[in-house]
């Protein structure tokens, strides 16, 4: 049996398989099952700004019908951040918000009392909002690390690439003021100068980056001629983008890398580690095959290491990252030349 231990975000994981942030990590029973199946760590379902708006809303509805008519005002406060409402509304908002946040914090405490593997909390950040302060509460609840799920679609015509970079930097700086536990960034690939931007972000004191978050993708239904929901789960070919950027960034960023999206087999786990990731994150494969699939990923990794006589992950991690390749251009190639693709003979 090889030694599968890895270090991610300064935490020692018994192996590099981390369950990604998703609803599967939403119950104690599931997280216990993940631990039994061999997961190295779990990332909790993100707490979203919109969730707080929604849950605060229904909380007020269900506890005090007199406050019902003020519901719209509450939403406006939370969504528009217009703080010129009456003091009572402020009080209500804070009370309801506190209730929602407390549920998340209590869940962290429950997990920490019942499982041994690291628990990484996740916050969906679209603005600095109250998240920096909330991060402090997450730390106090006992989370081992915080993943900041920052998926900003750069679709605003009035903003430049630099404006978008600044948004990420502001969130990191704000959160870092409040916490000492490791912070990782779960990022999207929508960045105009990805390598430079990510290297810059990695120098801001974060402990890791998750490459990449999977966006919700709208689709179009051509029978109904309307916008439809795209596929939620990744396919097993979706790993290529994360593989390329992991290989390009490994050894260049000042933090750990976790590869995510399309990691659905132990072969892909091995590829991501060879490209230079410290850990991988999985979600779709667990929805499709069940939580017990974690043990197959761990066993498959171990078997591959045995076959190749690797005793530890560090012996091969990053072996095929761009900085370690004789021909570093392979990860930068983007055109299908005829002779390269061998299409059509
Ligand atoms: C049902 C579902 C819910 C998810 N919820 C979250 C979430 O709350 N926060 C987050 O950062 N990612 C969320 N994700 C994205 C996953 O964490 C992961 O990054 C993505 O699914 C790609 O990994 P995969 O190819 O292994 O599925 C969710 C994914 C799924 C399928």
């Amino acid at each position: 049996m090889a030694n599968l231990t890895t270090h991610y975000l300064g935490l020692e994981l018994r192996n590099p398989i981390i369950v990604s942030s998703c609803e599967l990590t939403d119950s104690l029973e599931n997280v216990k099952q993940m631990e039994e199946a061999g997961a190295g760590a779990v990332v909790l379902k993100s707490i979203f700004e919109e969730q707080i708006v929604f849950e605060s809303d229904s909380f007020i509805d269900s506890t005090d019908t007199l406050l019902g008519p003020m519901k719209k005002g509450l939403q406006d406060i939370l969504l528009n951040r217009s703080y010129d409402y009456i003091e009572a509304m402020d009080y209500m908002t804070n009370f309801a918000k506190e209730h929602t946040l407390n549920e998340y914090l209590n869940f962290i405490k429950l997990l920490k009392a019942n499982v041994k593997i690291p628990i990484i909390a996740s916050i969906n950040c679209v603005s600095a909002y109250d998240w920096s302060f909330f991060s402090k509460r997450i730390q106090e609840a006992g989370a081992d690390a915080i993943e900041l799920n920052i998926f900003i679609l750069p679709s605003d015509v009035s903003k430049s690439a630099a404006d978008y970079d600044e948004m990420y930097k502001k969130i990191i700086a704000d959160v870092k003021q409040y916490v000492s536990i490791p912070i990782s960034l779960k990022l999207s690939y929508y960045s105009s100068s990805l390598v430079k931007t990510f290297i810059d972000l990695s120098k801001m004191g974060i402990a890791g980056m998750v490459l990449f978050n999977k966006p919700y993708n709208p689709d179009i239904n051509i029978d109904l001629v309307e916008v439809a929901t795209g596929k939620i789960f990744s396919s097993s070919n979706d790993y290529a983008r994360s593989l390329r950027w992991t290989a390009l960034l490994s050894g260049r960023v000042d933090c750990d890398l976790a590869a995510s999206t399309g990691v659905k087999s132990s072969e892909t786990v091995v590829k991501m580690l060879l490209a230079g990731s410290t850990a991988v994150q999985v979600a779709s494969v667990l929805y499709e095959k069940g939580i017990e699939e974690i043990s197959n990923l761990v066993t498959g990794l171990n078997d591959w290491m045995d076959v190749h006589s690797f005793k530890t992950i560090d012996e091969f991690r990053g072996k095929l990252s761009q900085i370690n390749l004789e021909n570093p251009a392979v990860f930068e190639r983007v055109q299908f030349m005829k002779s390269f693709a061998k299409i059509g003979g």
Side-chain angles (χ1 to χ4, degrees):
M1 175 89 187
N3 177 356
L4 304 187
T5 311
T6 192
H7 288 89
Y8 176 62
L9 312 182
L11 308 166
E12 182 172 299
L13 312 190
R14 59 181 163 166
N15 68 58
I17 317 292
I18 299 175
V19 180
S20 266
S21 174
C22 62
E23 272 93 2
L24 290 177
T25 59
D26 233 0
S27 78
L28 174 62
E29 195 193 350
N30 277 1
V31 175
K32 275 184 164 172
Q33 211 186 327
M34 288 162 188
E35 180 170 61
E36 273 158 33
V42 298
V43 186
L44 303 187
K45 171 87 186 139
S46 305
I47 182 147
F48 285 78
E49 215 161 310
E50 295 93 320
Q51 180 188 349
I52 292 194
V53 174
F54 175 78
E55 288 183 14
S56 303
D57 188 35
S58 37
F59 178 74
I60 285 171
D61 247 354
S62 62
T63 54
D64 191 337
T65 46
L66 286 175
L67 299 176
M70 297 167 91
K71 214 168 69 170
K72 175 78 177 64
L74 172 65
Q75 279 178 331
D76 289 346
I77 285 179
L78 287 162
L79 288 169
N80 302 327
R81 325 264 185 278
S82 57
Y83 293 106
D84 52 352
Y85 280 74
I86 53 173
E87 227 174 85
M89 279 303 288
D90 268 353
Y91 176 77
M92 259 170 55
T93 305
N94 289 332
F95 182 69
K97 197 163 68 176
E98 190 63 23
H99 172 81
T100 307
L101 301 187
N102 275 335
E103 280 188 1
Y104 197 75
L105 300 175
N106 287 337
F107 183 52
I108 293 172
K109 288 180 194 159
L110 181 72
L111 292 177
K112 286 305 292 175
N114 286 281
V115 297
K116 292 196 175 59
I117 53 174
I119 302 297
I120 303 171
S122 168
I123 305 177
N124 172 255
C125 301
V126 286
S127 62
Y129 190 39
D130 289 348
W131 295 120
S132 32
F133 175 67
F134 185 40
S135 303
K136 184 167 181 272
R137 308 268 303 273
I138 285 184
Q139 171 169 297
E140 285 161 4
D144 295 284
I146 300 177
E147 189 173 279
L148 301 178
N149 166 15
I150 318 180
F151 203 121
I152 303 170
L153 194 75
S155 58
D156 184 339
V157 289
S158 70
K159 289 197 166 59
S160 69
D163 293 336
Y164 281 108
D165 287 359
E166 219 31 63
M167 289 162 100
Y168 287 93
K169 288 180 182 163
K170 174 150 179 39
I171 291 172
I172 298 170
D174 284 350
V175 174
K176 272 202 67 72
Q177 271 182 34
Y178 285 89
V179 296
S180 55
I181 56 173
I183 297 171
S184 65
L185 293 191
K186 188 173 190 184
L187 291 155
S188 87
Y189 40 83
Y190 294 118
S191 172
S192 55
S193 178
L194 198 149
V195 170
K196 163 103 175 64
T197 297
F198 283 21
I199 290 173
D200 287 351
L201 293 177
S202 79
K203 293 185 194 303
M204 294 192 66
I206 57 165
M209 285 181 175
V210 183
L211 309 177
F212 294 102
N213 203 346
K214 181 181 157 66
Y216 159 77
N217 284 318
D219 199 354
I220 287 181
N221 181 323
I222 59 168
D223 295 324
L224 299 173
V225 192
E226 62 182 30
V227 176
T229 304
K231 249 174 51 166
I232 291 178
F233 298 131
S234 310
S235 84
S236 47
N237 295 327
D238 288 345
Y239 71 84
R241 184 185 292 118
S242 300
L243 182 79
R244 178 200 293 266
W245 291 105
T246 299
L248 290 174
L249 286 165
S250 172
R252 295 203 167 93
V253 284
D254 285 5
C255 66
D256 296 330
L257 295 174
S260 163
T261 299
V263 181
K264 302 186 81 174
S265 68
S266 59
E267 287 82 2
T268 309
V269 174
V270 171
K271 290 180 190 185
M272 294 303 193
L273 295 170
L274 283 167
S277 75
T278 307
V280 299
Q281 294 198 357
V282 294
S284 293
V285 69
L286 306 185
Y287 278 95
E288 289 168 348
K289 294 191 175 169
I291 290 172
E292 56 281 7
E293 183 61 14
I294 295 169
S295 66
N296 290 332
L297 298 177
V298 176
T299 308
L301 168 62
N302 181 69
D303 291 350
W304 178 86
M305 286 172 67
D306 283 349
V307 167
H308 291 268
S309 305
F310 289 122
K311 300 229 168 338
T312 66
I313 296 216
D314 280 345
E315 283 174 37
F316 68 94
R317 199 176 63 77
K319 208 173 161 59
L320 299 183
S321 63
Q322 192 190 36
I323 53 169
N324 289 327
L325 289 181
E326 264 177 42
N327 176 9
V330 286
F331 279 113
E332 286 178 5
R333 190 192 294 277
V334 286
Q335 300 291 347
F336 289 97
M337 286 180 290
K338 198 175 174 199
S339 57
F340 171 63
K342 301 250 184 327
I343 296 171

